[in-house]
Amino acid sequence: KRQGDIMSLIHHYLHEYNQDFGKKFIGLTDNTQNILSNYHWPGNIRELQNILSQIVTLNHGKYITTDMLPETLHSFETSDIVNDQEHSPVPVMSIPLWQIEKNAIEHMIEFCNGNIVQAAAILDIAPSTIYRKLQGWKKK
């Protein structure tokens, strides 16, 4: 609801996560800023925090680039934004939500060298949630 606050929040959390994870990001590329500023953020600030945390922990550099964005945002382009004020901008996605979640969890487990407790802490979920989801995905 407060799209104008997105960049301020991004810079705040980027600074915080730089300190937490010993990184040195100083900003975003123009394309990345455009995508993040115009994304609808259906998960609100929690989604923003999780995405930024993942980006900072999994990448290095001075600037966050579009290739560092999760798949959920890769398919979101500013041309997909609905300009009608009665509609909220939405990404055009063809990946099922469970697959996006699976990819994020698997990448974090790999980043943490198989340490599920550490991966869960970074993702801000319970380790039991990861174990339960891993079991469920084996059945698919």
Side-chain angles (χ1 to χ4, degrees):
K1 292 180 181 179
R2 297 174 57 179
Q3 289 296 115
D5 294 342
I6 296 296
M7 289 314 301
S8 295
L9 289 168
I10 288 172
H11 288 291
H12 168 77
Y13 288 113
L14 185 58
H15 176 74
E16 183 179 305
Y17 297 143
N18 274 336
Q19 290 181 336
D20 291 350
F21 302 112
K23 301 296 179 91
K24 297 180 181 180
F25 286 100
I26 60 173
L28 296 81
T29 63
D30 289 341
N31 283 343
T32 304
Q33 182 173 330
N34 197 23
I35 290 170
L36 295 178
S37 294
N38 290 297
Y39 181 62
H40 179 58
W41 298 106
N44 295 322
I45 195 165
R46 186 84 151 188
E47 180 182 14
L48 174 65
Q49 290 172 312
N50 287 336
I51 286 175
L52 286 176
S53 175
Q54 272 188 343
I55 289 170
V56 172
T57 57
L58 296 174
N59 298 281
H60 298 281
K62 285 185 175 184
Y63 296 96
I64 295 175
T65 61
T66 56
D67 62 319
M68 295 176 186
L69 297 175
E71 289 181 31
T72 55
L73 296 176
H74 275 285
S75 60
F76 181 77
E77 297 293 335
T78 55
S79 61
D80 296 327
I81 298 171
V82 177
N83 290 323
D84 185 345
Q85 291 185 1
E86 293 180 28
H87 295 84
S88 298
V90 295
V92 177
M93 298 185 340
S94 60
I95 302 169
L97 183 58
W98 71 266
Q99 185 66 53
I100 294 166
E101 181 181 55
K102 180 177 187 254
N103 291 345
I105 289 173
E106 287 176 343
H107 286 295
M108 191 57 66
I109 292 170
E110 183 178 329
F111 174 77
C112 295
N113 296 317
N115 186 328
I116 290 178
V117 173
Q118 184 180 13
I122 292 170
L123 292 171
D124 197 25
I125 59 175
S128 60
T129 300
I130 291 180
Y131 288 115
R132 187 178 70 252
K133 289 187 178 293
L134 290 172
Q135 289 299 318
W137 293 325
K138 284 182 183 179
K139 296 175 184 176
K140 287 190 178 207

